[in-house]
């Protein structure tokens, strides 16, 4: 297959988005931007089309997809009930980077939900994503755009090699805004359980007067047989081939000292650090993660994709405070480091 390509970086050419939407209607799959990461989308109501996504990504069939909608009527067609707490989340955070798990209606095919009786729904705020769904007139099932296990795609240059020729259409609108995937939540007994942290933070939800429970599996290693609330928690994700070590301390001096000790132990090291600390590391191989959580969140997947090209024995990554967007960054980094994590 030859992928069609539309450059929407300067000009959001509606005709191209319409063409891509027609392609989705015809049962094909399309690579498109959202505010979080790029997605690979298909008609969520067409099991054959959705199967093509699993093939393109090499994704395990027991890992369900998120369904993307552009208006609230689409939600009522897909789910049994919208409770009061869910409604509050919708009113405050949609459109935006929040996926809510609902009990699903029969019309949602089994491939989308991996056989679960629930479905994850989100209304993206990215204008190209919204237009794509609107023009298709269908809910679009879409996982992150990457081969399974790899970091999610935040710009086309990072993923073109692994996905070119596997999708019918590529909509390129440049770098995404956020850089980590949506927050995934499920409401049980009026409490919001965080299944995957993201840009909509624990603190954002607590501000609404809602009780929040952070699932412990977010930061811990799951055993293969363990029952998890979100199947995605079980899989190896984001990890480069090179061994990675994550180091965190509240105290900047201690953090830098510890990383320099680790550099002494290994000869051939690459450090991913914050701008302010970078010059303090005793190695020539270093990459700038940025300074704020927003910057780090935008850069992190591109950086993780680069590290193997350095051919080092160890990558040492600076951790951030597990607060606000920092919780999402640490969730991704702990997985990238396969739980090789030191906190001082
Ligand atoms: O920001 C995002 O959410 C991006 C963009 C493209 O929208 N999508 C994304 O999809 O990250 P994916 O497939 O890479 O991750 C979906 C996560 C997985 O961890 C999956 O297990 C979980 O959501 N999930 C989906 N449906 C679920 C359900 N019914 N119950 C529990 N977890 C679910
Ligand atoms: Mg993914």
């Amino acid at each position: 297959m030859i992928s069609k390509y539309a450059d929407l970086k300067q000009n959001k050419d509606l005709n191209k988005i319409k063409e891509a939407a027609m392609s989705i209607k015809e049962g094909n799959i399309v690579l498109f931007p959202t505010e979080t990461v790029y997605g690979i989308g298909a008609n969520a109501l067409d099991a054959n089309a959705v199967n093509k996504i699993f093939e393109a990504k090499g994704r395990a069939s027991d890992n369900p997809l998120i369904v993307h909608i552009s208006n609230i009527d689409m939600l009522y067609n897909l789910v049994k009930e919208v409770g009061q707490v869910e409604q509050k989340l919708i009113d405050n955070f949609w459109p935006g980077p929040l996926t809510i798990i609902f009990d699903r209606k029969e019309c949602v095919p089994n491939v989308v939900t991996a056989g679960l009786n629930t479905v994850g729904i989100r209304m993206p705020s990215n204008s190209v994503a919204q237009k794509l769904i609107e023009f298709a007139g269908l809910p679009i099932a879409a996982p992150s755009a990457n081969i399974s296990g790899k970091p999610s795609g935040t710009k086309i240059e990072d993923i073109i090699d692994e996905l070119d020729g596997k999708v019918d259409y590529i909509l390129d609108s440049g770098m995404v805004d956020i850089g980590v995937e949506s927050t995934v939540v499920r409401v049980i007994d009026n409490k919001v359980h965080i299944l995957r942290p993201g840009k909509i933070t624990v603190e954002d939800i607590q501000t609404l007067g809602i009780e929040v429970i952070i699932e412990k599996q977010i930061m811990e290693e799951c055993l293969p047989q363990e029952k998890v609330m979100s199947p995605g928690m079980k899989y190896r994700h984001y990890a480069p081939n090179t061994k990675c070590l994550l180091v965190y301390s509240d105290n900047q001096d201690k953090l830098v000292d510890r990383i320099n000790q680790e550099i002494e132990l290994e000869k051939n090291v690459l450090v991913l650090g914050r701008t302010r600390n970078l010059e303090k590391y005793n190695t020539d191989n270093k990459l700038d993660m940025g300074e704020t959580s927003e910057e780090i969140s935008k850069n992190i997947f591109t950086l993780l994709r680069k590290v193997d090209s350095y051919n080092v024995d160890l990558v040492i990554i600076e951790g951030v405070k597990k607060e606000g967007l920092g919780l999402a960054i640490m969730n991704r980094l702990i997985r990238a480091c396969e739980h090789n994590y030191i906190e001082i």
Side-chain angles (χ1 to χ4, degrees):
M1 183 199 304
I2 295 171
S3 304
K4 288 177 221 93
Y5 173 86
D7 184 348
L8 307 177
K9 289 197 278 291
Q10 304 301 328
N11 160 25
K12 307 257 172 305
D13 185 344
L14 292 184
N15 287 322
K16 298 286 184 198
I17 304 175
K18 261 181 203 154
E19 233 174 71
M22 284 311 122
S23 178
I24 288 208
K25 271 180 113 164
E26 286 161 11
N28 299 312
I29 61 177
V30 169
L31 212 172
F32 70 101
T34 82
E35 66 277 26
T36 56
V37 298
Y38 276 82
I40 306 175
N43 176 357
L45 303 175
D46 177 348
N48 282 329
V50 173
N51 264 320
K52 293 180 187 170
I53 299 177
F54 282 86
E55 269 169 38
K57 281 190 61 122
R59 183 176 173 110
S61 59
D62 68 346
N63 196 3
L65 305 184
I66 294 170
V67 177
H68 299 67
I69 60 174
S70 60
N71 66 60
I72 209 72
D73 291 334
M74 283 182 168
L75 175 69
Y76 295 108
N77 291 332
L78 298 166
V79 310
K80 283 197 173 141
E81 204 195 324
V82 179
Q84 260 180 11
V85 175
E86 283 94 342
Q87 190 60 53
K88 213 166 174 176
L89 295 174
I90 291 169
D91 293 343
N92 283 277
F93 302 120
W94 278 8
L98 178 73
T99 297
I100 308 174
I101 310 290
F102 296 92
D103 286 340
R104 66 155 165 149
K105 280 190 177 161
E106 293 298 318
C107 64
V108 184
N110 271 316
V111 266
V112 172
T113 68
L116 298 174
N117 51 18
T118 55
V119 60
I121 314 261
R122 124 172 161 84
M123 189 188 285
S125 60
N126 177 285
S127 63
V128 175
Q130 283 184 351
K131 287 284 172 227
L132 182 71
I133 305 165
E134 208 180 294
F135 289 148
L138 297 157
I140 294 183
S144 53
N146 53 277
I147 296 289
S148 272
K150 288 247 183 190
S152 305
T154 50
K155 55 178 195 268
I156 294 297
E157 296 88 300
D158 284 354
I159 47 178
I160 189 81
D161 287 346
E162 64 196 58
L163 294 172
D164 196 21
K166 293 186 177 172
V167 298
D168 186 56
Y169 217 113
I170 298 173
L171 295 176
D172 182 357
S173 65
M175 179 67 200
V176 299
D177 286 336
I178 297 171
V180 294
E181 309 89 340
S182 63
T183 308
V184 179
V185 300
R186 176 149 185 204
V187 180
I188 301 170
D189 294 334
N190 293 322
K191 298 181 186 116
V192 169
H193 291 247
I194 308 276
L195 310 188
R196 181 176 71 184
K199 174 75 178 167
I200 302 296
T201 64
V202 172
E203 296 83 352
D204 289 336
I205 299 170
Q206 282 168 338
T207 306
L208 305 178
I210 300 171
E211 195 177 324
V212 178
I213 295 170
I214 303 173
E215 284 302 313
K216 74 169 177 44
Q217 284 139 339
I218 282 178
M219 291 302 172
E220 286 171 14
E221 213 159 354
C222 310
L223 302 168
Q225 67 276 18
E226 201 171 333
K227 194 170 168 7
V228 293
M229 279 182 95
S230 180
M233 290 172 169
K234 285 191 308 195
Y235 291 98
R236 182 172 189 270
H237 211 339
Y238 314 116
N241 294 322
T242 315
K243 187 178 165 199
C244 297
L245 170 68
L246 181 62
V247 183
Y248 176 72
S249 174
D250 273 336
N251 179 316
Q252 291 301 299
D253 294 334
K254 280 191 184 161
L255 174 72
V256 172
D257 284 349
R258 179 58 189 255
I259 291 183
N260 274 326
Q261 280 170 29
E262 297 290 334
I263 293 173
E264 291 272 304
L265 295 174
E266 291 274 350
K267 278 189 217 70
N268 204 1
V269 176
L270 168 69
V271 176
L272 269 58
R274 265 181 303 172
T275 317
R276 74 173 90 154
N277 292 331
L278 222 54
E279 64 171 14
K280 300 175 194 154
Y281 294 123
N282 306 326
T283 171
D284 295 333
N285 293 331
K286 26 197 160 186
L287 288 172
D288 188 354
M289 296 166 74
E291 194 54 57
T292 62
S293 294
E294 279 72 21
E295 286 165 3
I296 297 172
S297 150
K298 261 193 172 176
N299 293 333
I300 198 65
F301 288 152
T302 295
L303 292 175
L304 287 172
R305 281 173 172 276
K306 270 194 194 153
V307 302
D308 286 332
S309 68
Y310 280 75
N311 283 314
V312 294
D313 301 321
L314 180 69
V315 180
I316 306 174
I317 308 178
E318 258 188 42
V320 299
K321 204 176 176 66
K322 292 187 207 109
E323 191 177 270
L325 182 56
L327 185 68
I329 295 169
M330 286 299 272
N331 164 267
R332 308 317 190 264
L333 286 178
I334 282 177
R335 284 158 175 269
C337 295
E338 301 190 275
H339 300 272
N340 193 11
Y341 174 48
I342 304 172
E343 189 169 329
I344 329 149

